[in-house]
Structures are given as structure tokens and as C-alpha cells.
Amino acid sequence: KYKKTQIHKHKKVGKDDLVSVFSLLEGSITRGFIFTKEDINKYKERKNNWFFLGNGISKLSRSELFSHEGNNKGIAIEMKNSIWKTPSMNDIIKPSIFLQNLPSIIVTQELDPQPGESIIDMCAAPGGKTSHIAFLMNGKGKLISCDKSKSKVNKMKEFLHSLNITFPQLLKLDTSSELFFSENSEKGIYPESFDRVLLDAPCSGLGQRPRLDLQISTESLESIASYQQRFFKNAVSLLKPNGILVYSTCTISPLENERNVRYALDNFPLQLIELKTTLGSEGLVEESLLKSDEAKKVRFFDPSDDSLQTIGFFIAKFQKI
């Protein structure tokens, strides 16, 4: 859903040179195209097809930027003069304040955690949603926050401590594992023992800001969607009867969004619950995806929707029946 955006640099442009950044709204040009004075004149004649983003400093040489060696990662251009007015919050806000994207805030609001409940955040790192859940629970009840990466769990612990949050129980766990319960019963994780489950699944991240190095195939998206489905079995098993499961992703891929909702409804004792928020749009209606009444109960946040200006995101809410 993002507009086509490509970076093209003159062969003489190197590191630390001043460059202008444009987005091509219609048509296409060859990767690595050299922008000449003639092209500037064409831009002036067809300026509705181009959008000026701002000026910045090139942090990669042209050869590094368009290399096929797999090492063209990092910051390509450090923007110095942008057309938008939103200031950077780095090193400005207090450590006790944490910024989140709007859909990420809505996810926790839809989960609606209550003090005294038992809640598990199955894929919690880096900890933003866990911190919100802990705040709404007011330190009362049980909150288990998991990630399969030890380093991510350690970073999450540091992050939560920076917010003076010590309430959640942080665990290094692969919540997609078939041996999930037999291995972790001593840690307080039992079937049908949680009032609410948050499954903010690992995803392709196609809703995040565009990345120059992103190369992903349909086969890869299929594989990611299948991996996400492995979490559902444990998520449903964790829930008490009538418990609430919130599923979310930061991708615009229907394979990971609507189709996984279809998978969950067809394979587990779950029913969709209409979300409280009216922001975003309805889900996609297709035979392999959602029916019309189901699509109305989920929310999709389109990154190309100028009225919201959010990252791409998807939220669905289930109740165990």
C-alpha cells in the first residue's frame, strides 16, 4: 500500500554529500537511474507524478546502496530538512514516557486487561504492550510475558525497569512449541488458566516503514503465516472458557491477517467479537478469507490512509466458546 519509492543517485555522489529525496507516485524508473538536468526539467513538467520529501546527507556511496552483495543495510540517507513538522523525540522525552503507534495502543485497549486477572503476552518483546497491560492491571493479578529469545527478554526487562515496572513475570519461552505445556507447568502455565491472551504474532512487518533491503516472496509470506498458526493452538489451550484472545500483526499481508483469522475460526472453538474501536477499516471479504459479517468485526490500519497516518496493522478479537 505504500507509494513506490526508489532512491537514485548520480555516480559522483558519495558519502556525506547533500542529496534531495523524491517519491515517484506514478510510473517507474530503472534502479540506479542517474538523475540529470533533463530529468529535472521533466520533473518540473510532470511534478504531479513526483513528491518532494526533503533534503538529507547520503550515508552510503552509490555502489554500497545498489550493491547485490547483501551488505547494503543501515541508514541510506539521514534526513536534515523534511517537509513534515513532527520533531524527533530521541533524548527529549523522560525515560518514564514511552511512545507507541496508535494501533499498538488500541491492541491493549481491546484486550481490556483487568486488575486481578491472569494474562499472558505470548510474544511480548520489546515490551511496549506488556508495559501498557501492566499499567491497566495496576500491579494486581498475574501477567506473564514471553519471548523465545533470551537477549530480547533481557532487553525487555531493562526497558520495563526504566519505566519502573516490575510486575510482569518475564520468561524465555517459545510459545509456538508443541511441548509448551509439558515443559512449563512449573512456571505457572497450565491449560485453561488465563482470562486473556495477547498474541501479537511475529510477522513479515510489511506495515512498517519501507526498507531498501526488503526482499520477500509469496512463498516466504506463506511460510510466515503457517508459523503464526502454530501459536493459535497454545493460545486457545491457555484460555479459560469465555476467555478473550486478541490477535494482532504489523503487516498488510492478508495471508497473515484475514486468512489466519479464517484458520482460527475453522479450527478452534473461537468466535469473533466486534472491536470497540471504529478507527481503521473492515477486513477483506473473500471466499478463502472472511465473510461479510466477520470482516466487519476486525480492523485493518492502512499505512496509505492519510486520515490516520499510522503504520500498517491488523487486529482481531476472539472469545473462547
Side-chain angles (χ1 to χ4, degrees):
K1 294 274 182 167
Y2 285 107
K3 299 296 184 185
K4 293 181 180 179
T5 304
Q6 292 176 292
I7 289 182
H8 305 277
K9 299 175 70 175
H10 193 279
K11 59 185 178 181
K12 293 183 179 180
V13 173
K15 291 183 180 179
D16 300 322
D17 283 344
L18 179 66
V19 295
S20 294
V21 181
F22 294 81
S23 177
L24 178 61
L25 303 182
E26 295 180 6
S28 62
I29 46 182
T30 306
R31 186 173 186 248
F33 173 78
I34 298 175
F35 207 71
T36 66
K37 290 182 179 180
E38 292 181 359
D39 297 306
I40 293 175
N41 292 330
K42 291 180 182 178
Y43 158 69
K44 291 178 179 179
E45 295 172 1
R46 303 185 305 152
K47 58 184 177 182
N48 289 337
N49 291 348
W50 296 79
F51 190 78
F52 176 66
L53 299 178
N55 297 320
I57 302 297
S58 176
K59 308 307 291 185
L60 295 175
S61 68
R62 189 172 185 276
S63 60
E64 289 174 325
L65 182 61
F66 299 115
S67 168
H68 292 281
E69 300 300 322
N71 57 354
N72 53 343
K73 296 183 178 181
I75 298 175
I77 297 174
E78 183 179 347
M79 299 302 292
K80 294 297 184 181
N81 306 106
S82 302
I83 59 171
W84 57 85
K85 303 298 182 181
T86 305
S88 171
M89 294 291 104
N90 293 336
D91 302 321
I92 296 178
I93 60 176
K94 298 179 180 179
S96 58
I97 299 175
F98 177 67
L99 299 180
Q100 277 188 297
N101 291 299
L102 176 62
S104 297
I105 297 173
I106 292 175
V107 165
T108 307
Q109 295 288 353
E110 293 293 347
L111 184 66
D112 195 23
Q114 300 296 315
E117 291 184 330
S118 294
I119 299 175
I120 184 167
D121 186 350
M122 296 182 69
C123 308
K129 298 177 185 66
T130 275
S131 69
H132 194 180
I133 295 170
F135 174 78
L136 294 176
M137 293 181 72
N138 198 25
K140 299 177 181 177
K142 179 172 73 173
L143 172 57
I144 296 180
S145 303
C146 310
D147 196 275
K148 68 177 185 178
S149 166
K150 183 178 180 180
S151 63
K152 288 184 178 181
V153 171
N154 290 336
K155 288 181 180 178
M156 181 164 54
K157 182 178 180 179
E158 293 175 3
F159 162 69
L160 293 173
H161 282 182
S162 73
L163 299 177
N164 296 318
I165 296 174
T166 58
F167 167 56
Q169 179 184 355
L170 307 184
L171 297 178
K172 176 189 174 297
L173 291 178
D174 180 1
T175 52
S176 70
S177 171
E178 289 287 338
L179 301 176
F180 182 68
F181 293 109
S182 61
E183 291 180 342
N184 299 298
S185 59
E186 74 279 3
K187 297 174 182 176
I189 299 178
Y190 303 96
E192 298 193 339
S193 61
F194 290 90
D195 299 287
R196 302 175 196 269
V197 173
L198 174 58
L199 175 50
D200 185 46
C203 68
S204 61
L206 292 178
Q208 301 283 5
R209 68 184 64 182
R211 299 194 303 272
L212 294 175
D213 64 318
L214 182 61
Q215 298 183 22
I216 191 164
S217 63
T218 302
E219 291 74 16
S220 295
L221 292 176
E222 291 273 8
S223 177
I224 294 170
S226 297
Y227 175 60
Q228 292 163 337
Q229 292 173 5
R230 289 164 49 185
F231 291 89
F232 272 100
K233 180 178 180 181
N234 287 335
V236 175
S237 297
L238 288 167
L239 273 177
K240 297 177 181 178
N242 300 314
I244 298 298
L245 165 64
V246 171
Y247 174 72
S248 62
T249 72
C250 59
T251 185
I252 59 176
S253 166
L255 298 177
E256 301 170 73
N257 296 337
E258 288 90 347
R259 199 177 77 172
N260 270 351
V261 171
R262 173 84 278 135
Y263 167 81
L265 293 173
D266 290 346
N267 290 277
F268 303 103
L270 294 172
Q271 63 180 3
L272 274 174
I273 298 179
E274 190 168 353
L275 299 171
K276 298 175 184 177
T277 185
T278 57
L279 297 176
S281 58
E282 298 176 0
L284 293 175
V285 178
E286 290 185 16
E287 184 176 352
S288 63
L289 300 176
L290 299 179
K291 301 175 184 176
S292 178
D293 61 321
E294 295 168 337
K296 294 177 181 178
K297 295 180 180 180
V298 304
R299 303 310 289 178
F300 171 65
F301 293 82
D302 187 341
S304 66
D305 183 349
D306 292 335
S307 65
L308 285 178
Q309 296 187 1
T310 73
I311 63 171
F313 214 89
F314 180 84
I315 308 173
K317 185 175 182 178
F318 304 88
Q319 184 175 36
K320 187 175 180 178
I321 54 179

